[in-house]
Amino acid sequence: MARDCQPCTACCEGWLRIEKPEARATLGSPCGNCVGGGCRIYQTRPLDPCRTFNCAWRAEGSVLAEWMRPDQCKAIVMFDRLTWRGQPATVAVAVGAIIPQRTLEWLKQHAQLNNRPLLWEEYEQVNGQFTGRKRVATHGPVDFGREMLQRHGRGELLW
């Protein structure tokens, strides 16, 4: 059975881009339906992107421990957004400026044990303000890292 995401609202808080009239969030600007402790329209939230988003913590049979809920571990983990050379890769997006070391170490270990490349994104801040620029890093094959950093440098969406 899939976990209930409430009260976590990390995916709605602007760390992921959401561009729908009824649900809109960008870095530093949460969705207007995101209220303390949950989503105001959770039962009637839009199909795309809200219902179709696959948070790895929430997925049925998730390998992520309870402490890896995005609002607690400070990373949104996705197992279904990126493939590289036909192989699934893990994507993690910071909930805040950076992914904490404990979370990052767990993700790296999981990537290594499961032979899965890992890509993570963090957000640049200047004087406590987000600039809108992302920093991208990888763990896994050198070619994976090189390709992801090149694609990021060209402004491509990676996942």
Side-chain angles (χ1 to χ4, degrees), residues 120-139:
W120 70 92
E121 296 181 346
E122 298 176 317
Y123 301 102
E124 182 179 284
Q125 280 185 310
V126 175
N127 298 325
Q129 299 295 314
F130 290 105
T131 66
R133 289 192 292 260
K134 295 178 184 178
R135 291 183 307 274
V136 172
T138 65
H139 180 78

Side-chain angles (χ1 to χ4, degrees), residues 38 63 65 83 85 127 129 148 152 157:
V63 298
T83 57
R85 297 183 180 176
N127 298 325
Q129 299 295 314
M148 293 301 118
H152 175 70
L157 294 176

Side-chain angles (χ1 to χ4, degrees), residues 20-42:
K20 296 290 179 180
E22 63 277 17
R24 180 178 302 283
T26 57
L27 187 59
S29 180
C31 174
N33 298 306
C34 182
V35 294
C39 173
R40 184 172 52 84
I41 61 167
Y42 188 77

Side-chain angles (χ1 to χ4, degrees), residues 45-111:
R45 68 197 186 281
L47 180 65
D48 180 38
C50 303
R51 290 181 189 264
T52 58
F53 175 69
N54 290 317
C55 170
W57 180 85
R58 215 180 146 253
E60 189 168 334
S62 177
V63 298
L64 300 179
E66 286 296 319
W67 72 269
M68 289 287 290
R69 192 175 77 189
D71 62 333
Q72 295 174 354
C73 76
K74 302 300 181 193
I76 300 167
V77 179
M78 298 167 276
F79 291 142
D80 66 343
R81 294 294 184 142
L82 178 65
T83 57
W84 178 72
R85 297 183 180 176
Q87 175 182 0
T90 299
V91 174
V93 176
V95 172
I98 63 166
I99 296 175
Q101 196 62 34
R102 176 184 184 208
T103 301
L104 201 49
E105 288 306 317
W106 190 95
L107 289 167
K108 287 178 181 179
Q109 184 177 36
H110 178 268

